[in-house]
Amino acid sequence: MSELSDLYQEVILDHNKSPRNFHKLEGATRTAEGYNPLCGDKVTVYIKLEGGVIKEISFEGSGCAISKASASMMTDSLKGKTLAEAEGLFEAVHKMLKGEMDSDADLLGIGKLAVLSGVCNFPARVKCASLSWHTFRAALQGGGGMTSTE
Amino acid sequence: MKPAHEVTDAKSWRGARSPLDVARIREDFPILKRQVHGKPLVYLDNAATGQKPQVVIDAVNRYYATENSNIHRGIHFLSEIATADYEESRAKVKRFLNASDTGEIIFVRGTTEGINLVAQSYGRRFVKQGDEILISAMEHHSNIVPWQILCEQVGARLRVVPMNHDGELLIEEYERLLNDRTKLVSVAHVSNALGTVNPVKQLVEMAHRRKIPVLLDGAQAAPHMKVDVQELGCDFYAFSGHKLFGPTGIGILYGKSKHLEAMPPYQGGGDMISLVTFEKTHYNILPYKFEAGTPHIAGGVGLGAAVDYLSGIGLEAVTAYEKELLAYATEALCTVQGLRIIGTAKEKAAVLSFVLDGVHPHDIGTVLDQEGVAIRAGHHCAMPVMQRFGVPATARASFAFYNTKEEVDVLVRAVHKVLKVFR
Ligand SMILES: Cc1ncc(COP(=O)(O)O)c(C=O)c1O
């Protein structure tokens, strides 16, 4: 049985209470808005790109603990990454949330983000965790439109 | 259970106001015996859909196992009994709503389709550029979007009656908004997000003084209180079978004959015609004019069984019992620190929307689910209501006559568990 404590780990609760990089970013070169129509979660991701490197990244929005913590940890882990590294991380997180990680070694590769691995046992919550990542990707791809989980 | 014809008469129930035998009633619902995450299911999402008593499941089964055939078109035995059963369900619904004629009872997919039917048939014929449609601030999306589509098509304007902070419509504003351009009023009988029971009889009277027809969205009312369309005086009334403990995919649109006669068909196809040539088609009589194609026959039969079942229990007893449950649950939840109830109208059905300081409703939903408690977390297809109250979403517990005070206690304990996880 999936345990609540696997989902709501201390780290997640902490990021929910005091989210990191939780503000608008002046001088952002990329931004996108994401929306989960199912539960009304909203997130805006701001990115400052310099020479293919994510110099700064932040977010704003409202949402559940999972979506907020996921966005917060995402900004923490993407800061300073190259676009290629970021893409790799996106794929890895995506796999983890779908419960398709083959081994613990895979989990090691994504570092702190591994605390979100419990989410895959709560199918209704996977979109909460992936919203900020999809929004991040939409911001990179430009367009600046609205990303939806549906 | 007694056959329905012995008990559908409301008067015979007035004497029998004894409290419901909920323990016995629960035996009628197989799903209530199941466990969720190793805990007994506490189903408090009745506003989303109601559970099905065995008699409804049996009726659907029996239809497929012994009667399956197409209706209104066979001359063989099966088709005759299936047609008779389907039409008998229509007659049951007619009695259930106290409509004056079975021709006024149209089978549709649900409330949503009922409202769309009126918007596209009545609306496109009678609503013109510059006209207005009046709805309320507490409508479900299915009583907003069909009107927006219509307004776009004909150049009409959608106007909205505001509500106060308890979630009650402002009647003076309603009066003020009714005017010569208003061509239709469409409001919820009971709000799904707030539980408010609107004073619909009064709303209908006020509109009728100006000869404006009124559609009532009865999705949340019909399963929980006696609805008499003649007493209410409404022109249209829509509800969903699945919320009334019947099958999904079937629902009812009631419409006064004088309107239905004047309205063009909603969809074209088989069954809705009396004569077709390539030059001209003659439409069938009511209600068939509005029932194109093979309908959800099993659903109709199941809905008939659901109507019988609910009438057998007695809607007055149901309303009284649910009121008691609501009072008990409201009092219990109010003791939870940081909990705020959204929707505090004086007249309420058993719907409890709430928010918890510092905890998103979605997280409440997940914790409660782990305790076996099924509630809804989200905007309840009523985003404008959420905006009005300044919340992105709420958690909503909604009750039916098979719920118990013990289940309310489980809910409250589970909410305390939420606090433990998040504070
Ligand atoms: C007030 C109200 N109106 C309309 C609907 C739509 O009903 P359905 O989805 O069954 O068509 C609902 C269902 O949630 C409702 O609560």
Side-chain angles (χ1 to χ4, degrees):
Chain A
M1 206 185 89
S2 37
E3 288 291 336
L4 263 190
S5 51
D6 292 344
L7 182 67
Y8 295 118
Q9 301 205 26
E10 277 307 319
V11 184
I12 291 177
L13 295 175
D14 176 56
H15 275 268
N16 175 45
K17 270 209 183 109
S18 28
R20 326 291 197 263
N21 312 305
F22 189 56
H23 53 77
K24 198 176 160 149
L25 190 60
E26 295 305 329
T29 56
R30 299 289 171 85
T31 116
E33 268 177 72
Y35 180 57
N36 180 347
L38 208 65
C39 50
D41 287 359
K42 270 185 198 144
V43 66
T44 307
V45 173
Y46 304 92
I47 305 166
K48 198 186 269 180
L49 269 184
E50 264 179 44
V53 173
I54 298 166
K55 205 73 190 165
E56 286 199 67
I57 175 166
S58 73
F59 80 105
E60 279 185 318
S62 70
C64 63
I66 302 301
S67 83
K68 219 165 172 183
S70 176
S72 172
M73 288 188 281
M74 175 188 83
T75 56
D76 256 0
S77 59
L78 285 177
K79 206 180 279 188
K81 293 276 191 301
T82 67
L83 289 180
E85 287 165 339
E87 184 60 25
L89 215 46
F90 175 94
E91 294 298 340
V93 169
H94 202 63
K95 243 173 128 180
M96 170 181 76
L97 294 178
K98 286 201 291 185
E100 289 169 3
M101 286 289 194
D102 304 328
S103 66
D104 288 350
D106 278 354
L107 277 178
L108 279 179
I110 64 172
K112 283 191 209 149
L113 292 169
V115 297
L116 280 166
S117 61
V119 175
C120 69
N121 293 320
F122 294 79
R125 307 305 299 275
V126 168
K127 283 176 179 172
C128 306
S130 62
L131 176 64
S132 53
W133 285 90
H134 284 294
T135 310
F136 161 72
R137 214 196 210 175
L140 283 188
Q141 286 163 359
M146 190 79 131
T147 303
S148 170
T149 55
E150 293 304 298
Chain B
M1 246 192 58
K2 293 187 202 166
H5 54 82
E6 284 180 21
V7 288
T8 37
D9 179 16
K11 278 191 211 87
S12 66
W13 268 90
R14 215 154 277 155
R17 263 291 195 82
S18 62
L20 296 183
D21 186 352
V22 177
R24 210 216 67 224
I25 285 172
R26 291 178 68 84
E27 293 293 316
D28 297 336
F29 292 80
I31 208 169
L32 297 180
K33 295 186 185 76
R34 72 160 293 171
Q35 306 237 316
V36 166
H37 301 306
K39 310 258 170 67
L41 167 68
V42 174
Y43 186 75
L44 301 179
D45 196 14
N46 292 285
T49 199
Q51 296 302 350
K52 321 305 175 200
Q54 189 66 49
V55 284
V56 167
I57 299 166
D58 287 348
V60 172
N61 263 333
R62 182 177 40 78
Y63 166 75
Y64 282 126
T66 69
E67 299 178 4
N68 180 55
S69 56
N70 211 326
I71 55 169
H72 299 142
R73 38 188 95 166
I75 45 163
H76 58 77
F77 177 78
L78 288 184
S79 177
E80 275 170 18
I81 54 171
T83 304
D85 256 15
Y86 189 66
E87 291 304 324
E88 176 56 23
S89 281
R90 194 191 307 276
K92 285 173 183 175
V93 173
K94 174 206 163 245
R95 291 194 291 274
F96 183 71
L97 294 178
N98 191 32
S100 45
D101 195 276
T102 46
E104 299 182 319
I105 304 298
I106 302 164
F107 280 117
V108 289
R109 269 196 300 137
T111 310
T112 303
E113 189 175 46
I115 297 172
N116 276 279
L117 190 159
V118 177
Q120 287 303 307
S121 169
Y122 185 91
R124 291 196 81 170
R125 165 93 16 125
F126 296 110
V127 181
K128 305 270 184 282
Q129 175 141 26
D131 286 345
E132 297 178 0
I133 307 282
L134 189 55
I135 62 170
S136 90
M138 66 179 82
E139 299 310 319
H140 187 278
H141 295 163
S142 65
N143 199 22
I144 303 175
V145 185
W147 306 116
Q148 289 174 328
I149 293 173
L150 173 68
C151 286
E152 181 107 320
Q153 287 164 336
V154 303
R157 181 171 172 211
L158 188 61
R159 307 206 65 184
V160 181
V161 187
M163 58 182 162
N164 66 21
H165 212 68
D166 288 318
E168 295 166 325
L169 287 186
L170 300 175
I171 301 295
E172 329 72 76
E173 291 295 312
Y174 175 67
E175 176 75 67
R176 208 178 53 75
L177 282 160
L178 289 171
N179 68 67
D180 294 343
R181 291 179 303 276
T182 315
K183 286 294 139 60
L184 193 82
V185 170
S186 189
V187 289
H189 190 167
V190 171
S191 152
N192 69 312
L194 303 168
T196 311
V197 181
N198 284 316
V200 285
K201 196 174 172 191
Q202 185 189 0
L203 301 181
V204 170
E205 278 168 11
M206 289 167 70
H208 281 184
R209 261 178 247 141
R210 292 177 168 273
K211 301 210 166 14
I212 303 165
V214 179
L215 184 160
L216 297 179
D217 169 353
Q220 298 296 342
H224 304 284
M225 59 189 66
K226 178 79 193 124
V227 173
D228 179 332
V229 289
Q230 297 193 66
E231 217 229 354
L232 293 175
C234 58
D235 298 272
F236 300 100
Y237 197 96
F239 73 87
S240 301
H242 70 95
K243 293 187 204 277
L244 198 129
F245 320 104
T248 55
I250 191 81
I252 295 295
L253 174 70
Y254 156 83
K256 279 185 183 159
S257 306
K258 66 168 183 190
H259 296 307
L260 297 177
E261 295 286 3
M263 287 158 58
Y266 173 51
Q267 293 177 331
D271 264 353
M272 52 76 70
I273 45 80
S274 59
L275 181 74
V276 177
T277 64
F278 284 117
E279 286 68 44
K280 183 162 174 60
T281 289
H282 295 271
Y283 302 132
N284 206 338
I285 54 165
L286 294 180
Y288 311 111
K289 181 169 90 177
F290 293 101
E291 295 183 356
T294 301
H296 184 6
I297 307 168
V301 170
L303 178 56
V307 162
D308 275 349
Y309 180 80
L310 193 53
S311 303
I313 288 174
L315 275 155
E316 293 190 9
V318 164
T319 307
Y321 176 71
E322 290 179 5
K323 194 168 181 166
E324 210 179 293
L325 266 186
L326 176 70
Y328 183 78
T330 305
E331 198 179 310
L333 279 181
C334 281
T335 63
V336 177
Q337 211 203 340
L339 186 145
R340 179 161 67 101
I341 290 176
I342 307 281
T344 44
K346 273 183 228 70
E347 292 298 326
K348 265 189 79 170
V351 170
L352 263 178
S353 251
F354 61 94
V355 290
L356 257 185
D357 269 354
V359 189
H360 192 279
H362 215 163
D363 296 312
I364 300 174
T366 292
V367 178
L368 264 49
D369 179 53
Q370 292 294 304
E371 300 298 307
V373 181
I375 59 147
R376 171 91 190 263
H379 52 59
H380 319 295
C381 298
M383 287 171 143
V385 175
M386 300 297 112
Q387 280 153 23
R388 167 67 178 76
F389 287 93
V391 293
T394 72
R396 179 189 70 187
S398 52
F399 303 87
F401 54 85
Y402 43 66
N403 290 126
T404 64
K405 288 186 181 170
E406 290 71 32
E407 289 182 310
V408 172
D409 296 339
V410 176
L411 165 70
V412 174
R413 278 200 298 276
V415 172
H416 279 288
K417 176 139 191 212
V418 176
L419 294 183
K420 246 179 41 213
V421 173
F422 285 94
R423 293 218 180 124

